[in-house]
Amino acid sequence: MTTTLNPRRSRPPAQPATLKARRLPAYASPAIAVVALLVAAALVLGTGVGGPVLVVVVGALLYLAGLYTAATRVEGRRSARNRAWSALIHSAFVLAVLPLASVVWTLVSKGVERLDGNFFGTSMNNIGARDPQGGAYHAIIGTLEQVGIATLITVPLGILCAIYVVEYGRGRFAFTIRFFVDVMTGIPSIVSGLFVLAFWVLIVSPVFNDGRPGFSGFAAALALAVLMLPTVVRSTEEMLRLVPAPLREGAYALGVAKWKTILRVVLPTALPGIVTGVMLAVARAAGETAPVLLVAGGGAAINFNPFENNQSSLALYVYQQAGDASRYAPARAWTAALTLVALVLILTIAAKLLARRNRLGR
């Protein structure tokens, strides 16, 4: 007995459920933000309890509350929580960027006043309080020499130390190295300056200077190297640990020696991160004032020899000009600060491009 299905009795196909949901209009979020700021301004400025900063803070809180309430009514509680957290993350990003933008704007707006050839081509030698001229050529030379020497000392030592800790170090000795590197990371800059002053300037340099202590740019470079070393070691160590283990195992499987694997596989893979850590250390060293003041002494004249006589730096130059009584000194200080930031930025970009080119070349 065969049974035939009656097409008339078959159920019609189900209609697909709609995926469209109610959403807040695009103008709702900006409108809520404007209303929140207006209400915050009326509350804060009307009562006189605060200023613009408090208006922004209260406005942000009112905006989050208003957005959550509106989204809950229209889209539901789950979507409202998503919108509230997204708005909170975006607000945190804006609050983090605002100080940086303020610093950059202040540096540029106040530092362009002395951006001229005289500032970059002359020193402060024989410049009086009433002289509007005078530049930072001697400080730029000092910064480049001191930071350059400190980098030449620190980078090989830091990278080799990190390689030992990651690739070879085991047991108590490696743990001790990590512990002292962590301790050195928090050393104040003036302590490193005092260490170099007590050891190099007062004990070692008199041997080469007829018994007299000698201030020099090299001494400042040693103090900066003490500050740079833990940053280079820790950043390089973390980058080496991020290199995947299969890369090492593949090289070992091909019979490549361990030292050659580190040199040809591990270091090129971690190179961009290592360069970033080195440039962070360079940026910190370039902005230090206390070590240079203690062991290099500063100076108004140009000194190309980092091993003899006093030498200045851009950070020390900013400190001295900011405390000078001359009405022309603040403009020099702002321009020197802008020059220091631009110098670090240029070095960082150049180092990143070089590391990227070398990595692609492999």
Side-chain angles (χ1 to χ4, degrees):
M1 180 178 179
T2 60
T3 304
T4 59
L5 297 176
N6 188 356
R8 295 181 180 179
R9 295 183 179 180
S10 61
R11 299 178 62 183
Q15 296 294 329
T18 178
L19 298 178
K20 298 181 66 175
R22 298 179 62 189
R23 303 281 296 176
L24 283 175
Y27 61 83
S29 183
I32 294 173
V34 172
V35 173
L37 285 177
L38 292 177
V39 173
L43 291 175
V44 175
L45 301 181
T47 57
V49 296
V53 176
L54 187 59
V55 169
V56 174
V57 173
V58 175
L61 296 177
L62 292 177
Y63 167 71
L64 292 175
L67 182 64
Y68 180 79
T69 302
T72 301
R73 290 180 173 274
V74 177
E75 300 177 354
R77 184 173 298 177
R78 183 175 181 179
S79 180
R81 285 198 299 265
N82 179 64
R83 279 186 175 272
W85 279 106
S86 299
L88 183 62
I89 293 172
H90 294 157
S91 301
F93 170 76
V94 172
L95 290 177
V97 170
L98 282 178
L100 176 62
S102 176
V103 170
V104 172
W105 171 254
T106 304
L107 280 176
V108 174
S109 61
K110 295 188 176 182
V112 295
E113 182 177 348
R114 283 299 314 276
L115 281 178
D116 50 40
N118 180 266
F119 183 83
F120 294 102
T122 60
S123 67
M124 291 299 295
N125 198 25
N126 297 324
I127 299 296
R130 297 183 179 181
D131 195 342
Q133 302 300 318
Y137 180 67
H138 62 298
I140 296 173
I141 295 298
T143 296
L144 292 176
E145 290 184 351
Q146 295 164 19
V147 175
I149 294 174
T151 303
L152 291 177
I153 296 173
T154 304
V155 172
L157 289 177
I159 293 178
L160 291 176
C161 181
I163 290 175
Y164 171 79
V165 170
V166 175
E167 303 292 340
Y168 296 97
R170 297 293 184 272
R172 186 172 298 177
F173 183 65
F175 174 78
T176 304
I177 292 177
R178 295 191 190 97
F179 174 76
F180 279 106
V181 168
D182 292 338
V183 171
M184 289 179 62
T185 304
I187 290 179
S189 59
I190 195 170
V191 174
S192 67
L194 288 173
F195 168 73
V196 175
L197 176 67
F199 173 70
W200 181 265
V201 176
L202 299 180
I203 297 178
V204 178
S205 65
V207 178
F208 307 97
N209 199 28
D210 298 329
R212 295 175 300 172
F215 294 90
S216 63
F218 181 73
L222 292 178
L224 297 179
V226 174
L227 298 175
M228 293 175 61
L229 185 59
T231 303
V232 175
V233 173
R234 291 297 295 169
S235 60
T236 304
E237 180 184 350
E238 294 302 324
M239 291 302 106
L240 293 179
R241 293 186 187 279
L242 290 177
V243 176
L247 292 179
R248 297 180 176 88
E249 296 170 356
Y252 297 152
L254 295 175
V256 182
K258 186 171 185 177
W259 68 269
K260 189 173 290 187
T261 300
I262 296 172
L263 185 64
R264 297 297 182 87
V265 177
V266 177
L267 285 179
T269 305
L271 185 61
I274 294 174
V275 170
T276 300
V278 170
M279 295 314 301
L280 287 175
V282 168
R284 182 190 177 185
E288 292 294 344
T289 304
V292 182
L293 181 62
L294 283 174
V295 300
I302 299 172
N303 180 17
F304 289 97
N305 187 357
F307 300 99
E308 292 183 2
N309 300 326
N310 293 12
Q311 195 175 55
S312 184
S313 68
L314 278 172
L316 182 57
Y317 180 84
V318 172
Y319 170 75
Q320 292 172 340
Q321 292 299 311
D324 200 313
S326 173
R327 66 188 183 95
Y328 303 106
R332 300 191 194 108
W334 282 110
T335 306
L338 178 61
T339 303
L340 180 60
V341 173
L343 182 63
V344 172
L345 178 63
I346 292 172
L347 292 176
T348 302
I349 293 175
K352 296 292 286 185
L353 291 177
L354 182 62
R356 181 172 177 268
R357 180 181 178 183
N358 289 341
R359 186 184 181 189
L360 291 177
R362 289 182 175 86

